[in-house]
Each structure stands twice: as C-alpha cells, then as structure tokens.
Amino acid sequence: NAGVTQTPKFQVLKTGQSMTLQCAQDMNHEYMSWYRQDPGMGLRLIHYSVGAGITDQGEVPNGYNVSRSTTEDFPLRLLSAAPSQTSVYFCASSYSRRVESYEQYFGPGTRLTVT
Amino acid sequence: QQQVKQSPQSLIVQKGGISIINCAYENTAFDYFPWYQQFPGKGPALLIAIRPDVSEKKEGRFTISFNKSAKQFSLHIMDSQPGDSATYFCAASMSEETSGSRLTFGEGTQLTVNP
C-alpha cells in the first residue's frame, strides 16, 4: 500500500492564482481531512470528509474548497491564493469508528508559498 | 482560541535522560488524546494515545500520564535517544463525533536529544 499520497510536494503561487492540492489514499478509509501546519500553531483542520459525497468545515476553512467524489481522493482547492495561505498542507485519513484505533495516517505534505 | 495548549515549545535533553512534554485542554467533551511524532520533511505519525478512563498508558519508552480533574496530560520519554529528536504534538478529539478525525492539536514541541 502507498498509504496517503500528496501532490505536488512543493508549489509556488502568485497572489490571486488558484490551484488544487491532490490527496489520495489506498487504505479504503472513510474519513479524510486536510490540515495546515504553521510555525508555533500546530496543525489546524481546514476541511474534512466522513465519506464520499460528504464534507464539512474545520477550524480554518476560509479560502479553501473540497469535494469527495470517491473514497480514495480528497482534493483541496485554493480559490484565490493569498500570502496568508503560505503553509505546509497535510492530508490525513482514518478508518470509521473503531474502538481499538482512531489512528490518523498523514501524507508527506505539500509546502506552498504564495508570493 | 487554542483549545489544547502545549509546553515547552522546545526541549533539549541529554541522551539517556527523561523528556517531558505537557498539554492542557479546555473542552471536557474531549475523550481521545493522541501524541504524534513528526520528523523533518515528513507527516506526523501516531506515537501513543490514551482515553480518560485510565490515568497512564505505557508503550516501550513512551508513557502518557493523564489527569482528568486538572484537564492535563503529558508525554514522558524515558532513556531519550538522539533518534527521538523530532517535533511532538499532543492532540485531542471527541470520539463520538467522527472517529477522532477532527483532531485539535497543540502548538508542538521540538525535542533535541544530544548524544
């Protein structure tokens, strides 16, 4: 299994540009999430999905869109990039409710710079 | 508002010493408390987790201590090794919500273990 994969690994955007960060998992996990990581702030939840066709907002959703058309894929779209969106983005996935394990599996991250 | 506060921000210990990282939370509905370990350039990975029905959980050199009344929990790394040098994040979630997929993270602690 490849686990959770993310592309691209690095990206530089100009203010106002749009782009999509790709995330895929091959573990048949129902739950997928997007986090951003900023120095001194830990990881903050952007959006999450509990299954195909179902998404919801996290702590910092403004400026981002998501969709979940398949179990495997959960892309994150930046509508109009701003310098404040410069960050490292992590996608994560996990099984549905299992008492013995709520482990989230994280991808390797996408480092985004907006100039 | 940071619902999970983590300290210290950075920690330097000698090889063989004990590393202690502390977290405090505000939301009494949290009932799942994982610790994640992150190496440079990688995504976080689950290290150990605890539920509030126990006061301590040990896995090898890693121990979580949990104080429900004080709303605090801590990670102890015994016999710290240079390979433990990484960033550690505490987190919390409500298991009734979505299998722990909505994690609230602390700010992170950068641990350096000197040889």
Side-chain angles (χ1 to χ4, degrees), chain A residues 9 31 33 35 37 40-43 45 48 50 57-59 90 94-99 102-104 106-108, chain B residues 1-2 9 32 36 38 41-46 51 89 95-108:
Chain A
K9 195 168 181 63
Y31 297 103
S33 309
Y35 294 86
Q37 181 177 15
M41 302 187 74
L43 290 90
L45 182 65
Y48 68 100
V50 300
Q57 296 182 351
E59 181 185 353
F90 288 100
S94 62
Y95 287 108
S96 63
R97 293 190 64 181
R98 287 187 179 182
V99 175
Y102 285 175
E103 179 174 0
Q104 285 204 49
F106 284 81
Chain B
Q1 182 180 3
Q2 194 77 23
Q9 186 175 7
Y32 172 67
Y36 279 79
Q38 184 182 32
K42 304 292 185 183
L46 180 66
R51 296 192 178 281
F89 292 98
S95 60
E96 67 189 24
E97 198 167 321
T98 46
S99 84
S101 65
R102 290 194 60 164
L103 288 172
T104 298
F105 282 88
E107 299 92 332

Side-chain angles (χ1 to χ4, degrees), chain A residues 1-6 23-33 68 70-74 91-96 98 101-108, chain B residues 36 44:
Chain A
N1 287 351
V4 180
T5 58
Q6 292 183 237
C23 174
Q25 53 90 11
D26 61 358
M27 297 174 281
N28 202 31
H29 286 168
E30 294 90 343
Y31 297 103
M32 297 186 74
S33 309
R68 183 99 178 268
T70 67
T71 299
E72 294 78 20
D73 301 298
F74 191 43
C91 179
S93 70
S94 62
Y95 287 108
S96 63
R98 287 187 179 182
S101 175
Y102 285 175
E103 179 174 0
Q104 285 204 49
Y105 296 82
F106 284 81
Chain B
Y36 279 79

Side-chain angles (χ1 to χ4, degrees), chain B residues 71-82:
Chain B
K71 294 189 289 185
Q72 295 175 347
F73 58 110
S74 60
L75 176 70
H76 292 64
I77 305 174
M78 311 299 289
D79 187 25
S80 298
Q81 299 296 312

Side-chain angles (χ1 to χ4, degrees), chain B:
Chain B
Q1 182 180 3
Q2 194 77 23
Q3 291 196 55
V4 179
K5 293 191 178 297
Q6 184 172 346
S7 63
Q9 186 175 7
S10 63
L11 180 63
I12 300 174
V13 300
Q14 294 299 120
K15 178 182 176 180
I18 302 174
S19 304
I20 301 175
I21 304 171
N22 300 300
C23 282
Y25 63 97
E26 299 173 6
N27 189 343
T28 55
F30 287 146
D31 62 356
Y32 172 67
F33 302 91
W35 284 89
Y36 279 79
Q37 180 188 55
Q38 184 182 32
F39 293 105
K42 304 292 185 183
L46 180 66
L47 184 63
I48 186 173
I50 197 169
R51 296 192 178 281
D53 52 345
V54 297
S55 60
E56 185 175 283
K57 182 174 182 180
K58 183 176 181 180
E59 290 185 0
R61 296 184 294 109
F62 301 91
T63 300
I64 299 179
S65 296
F66 187 82
N67 186 330
K68 187 174 182 178
S69 61
K71 294 189 289 185
Q72 295 175 347
F73 58 110
S74 60
L75 176 70
H76 292 64
I77 305 174
M78 311 299 289
D79 187 25
S80 298
Q81 299 296 312
D84 297 331
S85 297
T87 301
Y88 292 82
F89 292 98
C90 62
S93 73
M94 293 174 275
S95 60
E96 67 189 24
E97 198 167 321
T98 46
S99 84
S101 65
R102 290 194 60 164
L103 288 172
T104 298
F105 282 88
E107 299 92 332
T109 296
Q110 186 164 347
L111 172 65
T112 301
V113 181
N114 289 328

